[in-house]
Every structure is written in C-alpha cells, then in structure tokens.
Amino acid sequence: MSSITRSLTGGAIVAAALVVVGLRPATGTLPPAPAAPAEVRIATVDTLSLLERLMETDAYRLEREQHTATWNDQLRSMSESIQQLEARLMAMSPQDPAAQEVYGQYQSQQHAIQEMQQRAYSDVDEFSARQLADGYRKLHEACNRVAAERGYSHVVSTRLAIDELREVGTNILLQEVMIRPLLRAPAGDDLTDAIATALQLPDRTDEGDDDGP
C-alpha cells in the first residue's frame, strides 16, 4: 500500500472515529426529547372600531375638546377683528386716504389667521395622535390579557364584515380592504366585544359610526 493510500485510509478512519465520538452523548445518556409544540389558537379583534370607540369616551373626548377650544378661542377673536376691518372698508370711500391703511391691516390680519390655522391644525393633529397612541397601548394590554385568559396564542387585528364597505372612491375603498387582512375566521373566535367589556366601553348606539378607517 502506498504512503498516499495509507494516509487517505488513516484519515478516513480518524474522521469516522471523530464522527462516532461526536454522536456519543457526553453523559452517556440519550438527549431529552423535544418539547411538544404549544397549541395554536387564533382570535380576531376589530382593533380600529375599538380604538374609535375608546377615543369617544369622556376621558379622551373632553380632553380633546378642551385642547381644541383654546385654539378656537384665538381663531374666533382674530376672525372678529377681520370682520370689523372688513366692515370699515365697506363703509369707506375708495378716495378716503385712510382706506389704504385699513386695507393693509385687513391683509395682515388675514395672513396672520391663516398661519394660526395651520399651527392649530398641526397641534391638534399631534395631540390627537398622542391620544391614539395612549389608547392603543391600553387596547393592546387588554387584548393580551383577554386572549391569555381564553387560551389564545395569537390575535389578528382585522375587520371581517364587508357590508360596511365605503364605495366612495378608490383610496377609501383600498383602505377598507387593507383593514381586512383576514378574510375568514369563526365568529366564536372574535374577541372584539370581550375586549370592549374589559375596557368598559359604552355600547354602540349607531353601528354606522365605526364603518371606516
């Protein structure tokens, strides 16, 4: 046998021995059997409708109205000032030397109220976003708690009903489709009402109030 053959043969024997050693448990016992996979149970929740109802509770609605009222008071005061300037202009003759000055004040006030409206919309939108984030955290916690109590391992956020589709434009309709990622699920696995109870949400008086994103 050539040295190359002996070398290859010896290498094969050593490799085989290493494989055997690697397969032998260090403790001399068999490894534990893998744990059985946990049971998968899937529930559904109409997250958007719950969030809409949560935002209409007194705690959120009154806070939002109070925040908005601050801006409305300022805008109303500026609007009244513009109306007064407009009334003065209407009563003045075009030849009146003071008319140009009043008209300048009128334009300045219009520009100022437009800027304030933009700031108001932005601020109110940010305030509403903070409310939504806070409400979603509460909704998320309640959803996890209710699902765990009822033995569900997964919860899918979806709206199943299709009789509430708003066919008023392609963008709106696509939004309606996007909030329905799950097309079929047993009605008994819908936790929407149970979570509404956990959050102490008032009963819906008008089903049409929560038909859109």
Side-chain angles (χ1 to χ4, degrees):
M1 181 182 296
S2 67
S3 60
I4 295 178
T5 303
R6 286 196 301 270
S7 178
L8 291 174
T9 304
I13 293 173
V14 172
L18 289 175
V19 171
V20 173
V21 172
L23 292 175
R24 185 180 300 121
T27 59
T29 60
L30 293 175
E39 180 185 5
V40 175
R41 292 189 64 206
I42 301 176
T44 61
V45 171
D46 189 344
T47 306
L48 190 57
S49 71
L50 289 174
L51 198 55
E52 289 171 343
R53 291 168 64 185
L54 186 58
M55 288 299 101
E56 288 305 313
T57 58
D58 289 344
Y60 287 103
R61 180 178 54 80
L62 295 177
E63 184 182 39
R64 191 168 58 251
E65 289 177 354
Q66 183 178 5
H67 184 83
T68 305
T70 302
W71 284 108
N72 285 336
D73 289 342
Q74 298 180 65
L75 291 168
R76 188 178 299 108
S77 176
M78 294 187 69
S79 178
E80 292 173 354
S81 178
I82 289 177
Q83 290 175 3
Q84 292 173 2
L85 288 172
E86 186 176 5
R88 288 181 60 188
L89 283 172
M90 295 291 292
M92 297 176 75
S93 169
Q95 290 75 31
D96 191 332
Q100 190 64 34
E101 180 182 353
V102 175
Y103 182 69
Q105 295 175 2
Y106 175 78
Q107 287 185 313
S108 177
Q109 287 287 332
Q110 276 193 322
H111 181 69
I113 197 172
Q114 288 174 355
E115 289 186 339
M116 179 170 286
Q117 284 176 331
Q118 292 176 355
R119 293 199 305 271
Y121 292 149
S122 177
D123 179 72
V124 170
D125 187 60
E126 290 179 4
F127 183 84
S128 298
R130 290 194 295 271
Q131 280 196 331
L132 285 167
D134 181 72
Y136 181 75
R137 282 189 285 268
K138 293 178 180 178
L139 175 59
H140 190 275
E141 189 277 332
C143 181
N144 276 276
R145 185 176 68 253
V146 171
E149 291 172 352
R150 301 193 176 206
Y152 287 98
S153 59
H154 297 70
V155 179
V156 178
S157 176
T158 189
R159 178 171 293 177
L160 293 173
I162 62 171
D163 56 348
E164 300 171 350
L165 290 173
R166 293 187 297 166
E167 303 173 9
V168 295
T170 55
N171 288 337
I172 296 296
L173 185 59
L174 286 175
Q175 291 180 41
E176 293 282 351
V177 172
M178 293 301 292
I179 63 174
R180 293 170 171 83
L182 194 63
L183 301 182
R184 178 180 173 84
D189 290 326
D190 183 12
L191 299 181
T192 302
D193 290 340
I195 295 171
T197 300
L199 290 170
Q200 298 181 333
L201 298 179
D203 294 335
R204 288 175 291 186
T205 56
D206 185 0
E207 294 293 336
D209 289 342
D210 35 90
D211 62 347

